[in-house]
Amino acid sequence: QVQLMESGGGSVQAGGSLRLSCAISGYTGNGACMSWFRQAPGKKREGVASLRHGDPTAYLDSMKGRVTISKDNAKNTLYLQMSSLKPEDTAMYFCAVARYWCIWPSEGGFDYWGQGTQVTVSS
């Protein structure tokens, strides 16, 4: 059984930084995609960043230059480093794994999802 567990969310002031973590158990490969998504209340879920076959390849346009996705293979943990956070970044952030195929930034092909970690950015 594959399980994903996010952590590192919290409340920060605008301009602050956070590093989100996604601990992966039951799966040691990189898959087709390992990605971060977010969803704010009343809005659609959107892709934030993605590793394609282990390599960073895509970022949400509104967060380019402010986020970095990476994976520590020894710890089997996916990370999302965020800086210069804005109130509009407030959302629930999810990590997800697509073992066999994905079409970024859609949700197609993602087999496993974490439960999410809340990020709240205040003015």
Side-chain angles (χ1 to χ4, degrees), residues 40-51:
K43 298 183 179 179
K44 294 181 178 180
R45 185 176 292 173
E46 59 185 350
V48 174
S50 184
L51 300 176

Side-chain angles (χ1 to χ4, degrees), residues 6-82:
E6 301 97 334
S7 63
S11 298
V12 298
Q13 294 184 348
S17 299
L18 283 174
R19 187 180 73 166
L20 307 184
S21 299
C22 174
I24 305 166
S25 62
Y27 184 74
T28 59
N30 287 317
C33 289
M34 289 190 170
S35 308
W36 288 92
F37 295 82
R38 71 180 186 184
Q39 187 169 26
K43 298 183 179 179
K44 294 181 178 180
R45 185 176 292 173
E46 59 185 350
V48 174
S50 184
L51 300 176
R52 183 171 178 82
H53 297 290
D55 295 321
T57 57
Y59 294 97
L60 182 67
D61 284 344
S62 65
M63 299 194 79
K64 285 183 177 179
R66 301 191 293 118
V67 294
T68 301
I69 186 171
S70 63
K71 182 168 182 278
D72 186 331
N73 289 319
K75 296 182 180 295
N76 207 27
T77 299
L78 185 70
Y79 299 101
L80 185 70
Q81 178 68 52
M82 303 187 291

